[in-house]
Amino acid sequence: MGEEAETIAIAEENGGLIVDSGETNSTWPAMRFDVSPYRTHHFSKQFRASRNPNNFLKGLKWSPDGSCFLASSEDNTLSLFYLPQDGGESNGYGVTIPEEDSYGASLLVNEGESVYDFCWYPYMSVSDPLTCVFATTTRDHPIHLWDSSSGELRCTYRAYDAMDEITAAFSIGFNPGGNKIFAGYNSSIRVFDLHRPGRDFGQYSTLQKNKEGQAGILSTLAFSPTNSGMLAVGSYGQTTGIYREDNMELLYVLHGQEGGVTHVQFSKDGNYLYTGGRKDPYILCWDMRKSVEIVYKLYRATENTNQRVFFDIEPCGRHLGTGGQDGLVHMYDLQTGNWVSGYQAASDTVNAFSFHPYLPMAATSSGHRRFAILDDDDEDKNNVELKADENCVSLWSFYVTSEENTSDEHNNGLASNSHNLNVTGEEENA
């Protein structure tokens, strides 16, 4: 009880931030962002053996237990890679960009059409096979629930339009309780009971009778991590709607994105929302307690691409990482909105950056559509020649601040009067 009271007291001093790792004694390492991380594993060649010579990565996501990650590619394939037993550690100097892959995918799931979105079951644990599932939504297909251990299709969740034809979801996500699947469609959201596959669902229109609300394709959604019952939904109509999870009541609509919203994510304390859009060079930060104006903007090189570029927030909730067309990963301090550091992750578009749930690691995927000049006389010219760090996945390890020096090195000299949590969970002053 003493440790719990101390944790709550520290959290109150940090704006109410309480983060639960899921394990009673686990703590998060304090990662150093003033030093570039080093590459531990690299994967590229296996994504080029496809029947589609123009194959490229479209995104990746770590499993909730951190045992593996799932990568989606243009050839309608989802590849599952398990993390090595050593956690991806090397000699601390990293590896050069190899021509050969570090190791092969443990599982390949082939969908029939282009993959719109995918997500992990929130309580997935490799020690419990029943929880090892992920959901996908693809063009002209129902929502599929896949077994990540065997690759078998467990069940489907089907939505039908007014013509009684199957309609595909553009975005999907499990609710925090893990018993429902929320799916975004054109100006509507359908809610499926996880334990009742088939065509039974609840449908909620995001447009009211007076045509007010949120219109367009609902391309992304995210739940508040603090069980506040809030759901954020992004639309290609350049808006983000905030809803109540229980009855899908529209609370308010956020305007300000220059392009269609492609990714939304809450801060770890649930007080802030971060939104990014296509052909929009800024990630916008919104205060959920005010929601009237933008708190600050975080730059990334995405002003010339329609690609969905995923960003992520570290488990401690202090920093955000995002890629862009320039192949760089940028790190930002979320308390100030200031740029902290950046490093070259690939030679082409870094379309996804994802922190490991509890290790000082991250994963990146890169790639974009390329158009070869067709030449009937020379078929070799039709093939796109790629570098080893293009259309690839890389795993990165961050240097960790030692426990003794956390107070001095955590901010790398950044001016801040706020309190921080070091790797031991104790309070420190920057």
Side-chain angles (χ1 to χ4, degrees):
M1 293 296 293
E3 294 180 358
E4 181 179 358
E6 182 181 357
T7 302
I8 295 175
I10 294 174
E12 290 176 349
E13 295 183 6
N14 286 273
L17 176 59
I18 300 179
V19 186
D20 184 9
S21 64
E23 298 182 11
T24 56
N25 296 322
S26 62
T27 56
W28 281 307
M31 291 180 281
R32 292 187 59 181
F33 296 108
D34 58 322
V35 181
S36 297
Y38 54 93
R39 182 185 283 106
T40 59
H41 296 88
H42 187 72
F43 314 91
S44 61
K45 198 169 184 179
Q46 55 195 297
F47 300 115
R48 302 171 189 178
S50 169
R51 291 173 296 177
N52 179 8
N54 197 20
N55 187 37
F56 61 92
L57 275 300
K58 299 199 299 183
L60 57 80
K61 296 179 181 180
W62 285 101
S63 63
D65 70 343
S67 62
C68 56
F69 65 89
L70 196 63
S72 173
S73 51
E74 175 67 9
D75 60 354
N76 311 332
T77 300
L78 293 112
S79 307
L80 186 143
F81 296 84
Y82 280 98
L83 193 64
Q85 293 296 325
D86 59 2
E89 289 297 327
S90 65
N91 57 10
Y93 297 98
V95 296
T96 58
I97 304 173
E99 294 295 333
E100 299 295 329
D101 292 0
S102 298
Y103 52 89
S106 300
L107 179 69
L108 296 177
V109 173
N110 297 308
E111 287 282 10
E113 291 287 348
S114 178
V115 178
Y116 287 148
D117 198 8
F118 62 98
C119 63
W120 285 97
Y121 177 65
Y123 299 102
M124 178 270 186
S125 174
V126 71
S127 61
D128 185 359
L130 289 177
T131 65
C132 295
V133 293
F134 61 89
T136 63
T137 177
T138 59
R139 184 172 56 197
D140 299 330
H141 282 70
I143 297 172
H144 292 158
L145 189 69
W146 297 94
D147 189 314
S148 63
S149 300
S150 63
E152 296 179 355
L153 180 63
R154 286 200 183 179
C155 54
T156 61
Y157 302 87
R158 304 186 298 276
Y160 291 82
D161 58 17
M163 303 299 293
D164 202 36
E165 296 178 348
I166 289 181
T167 179
F170 296 99
S171 58
I172 52 174
F174 289 93
N175 68 331
N179 60 344
K180 294 180 180 179
I181 297 176
F182 283 66
Y185 293 81
N186 192 348
S187 302
S188 68
I189 289 180
R190 292 175 170 90
V191 182
F192 299 88
D193 189 325
L194 180 65
H195 305 292
R196 297 184 63 185
R199 62 180 300 168
D200 295 332
F201 56 84
Q203 184 169 350
Y204 304 90
S205 174
T206 57
L207 277 178
Q208 302 173 358
K209 293 182 180 180
N210 56 4
K211 299 301 181 182
E212 293 184 356
Q214 195 175 19
I217 292 175
L218 305 182
S219 54
T220 179
L221 52 88
F223 291 88
S224 174
T226 58
N227 295 322
S228 62
M230 284 199 303
L231 167 66
V233 180
S235 166
Y236 282 159
Q238 303 180 6
T239 61
T240 300
I242 309 299
Y243 300 84
R244 286 182 53 178
E245 176 192 338
D246 53 357
N247 59 7
M248 290 305 299
E249 175 189 355
L250 178 62
L251 303 178
Y252 41 84
V253 179
L254 305 177
H255 300 268
Q257 211 78 52
E258 296 179 7
V261 181
T262 56
H263 189 202
V264 295
Q265 185 173 353
F266 280 93
S267 62
K268 298 301 179 181
D269 60 2
N271 289 333
Y272 298 92
L273 179 71
Y274 298 88
T275 64
R278 58 183 183 181
K279 286 196 172 181
D280 189 339
Y282 294 104
I283 297 172
L284 307 183
C285 174
W286 307 86
D287 191 335
M288 291 291 93
R289 298 160 295 185
K290 299 179 181 178
S291 70
V292 177
E293 58 185 17
I294 300 169
V295 180
Y296 53 72
K297 299 180 179 181
L298 309 177
Y299 175 78
R300 58 179 182 171
T302 55
E303 56 266 37
N304 297 315
T305 179
N306 282 317
Q307 272 188 281
R308 174 180 295 184
V309 178
F310 295 94
F311 54 86
D312 196 19
I313 299 173
E314 64 163 324
C316 293
R318 177 67 186 269
H319 296 87
L320 179 147
T322 179
Q325 286 181 285
D326 52 5
L328 294 173
V329 170
H330 296 282
M331 297 293 176
Y332 288 93
D333 188 325
L334 297 185
Q335 291 189 353
T336 63
N338 293 332
W339 181 86
V340 176
S341 63
Y343 69 93
Q344 192 77 36
S347 294
D348 53 358
T349 304
V350 177
N351 50 50
F353 177 86
S354 180
F355 282 106
H356 191 277
Y358 56 86
L359 292 177
M361 294 183 61
T364 59
S365 66
S366 75
H368 55 256
R369 184 171 284 106
R370 293 170 168 83
F371 300 96
I373 300 176
L374 298 180
D375 190 339
D376 295 334
D377 298 331
D378 190 352
E379 294 183 358
D380 292 336
K381 292 184 179 180
N382 299 339
N383 297 326
V384 179
E385 294 185 1
L386 299 175
K387 301 177 182 177
D389 61 344
E390 294 178 331
N391 287 4
C392 63
V393 170
S394 292
L395 300 185
W396 307 86
S397 280
F398 289 87
Y399 292 96
V400 179
T401 302
S402 62
E403 185 174 331
E404 297 81 5
N405 298 327
T406 302
S407 300
D408 299 328
E409 298 180 0
H410 186 73
N411 284 322
N412 189 31
L414 289 176
S416 175
N417 294 321
S418 60
H419 295 283
N420 303 309
L421 293 179
N422 62 19
V423 70
T424 63
E426 299 175 350
E427 185 181 5
E428 61 178 22
N429 291 314

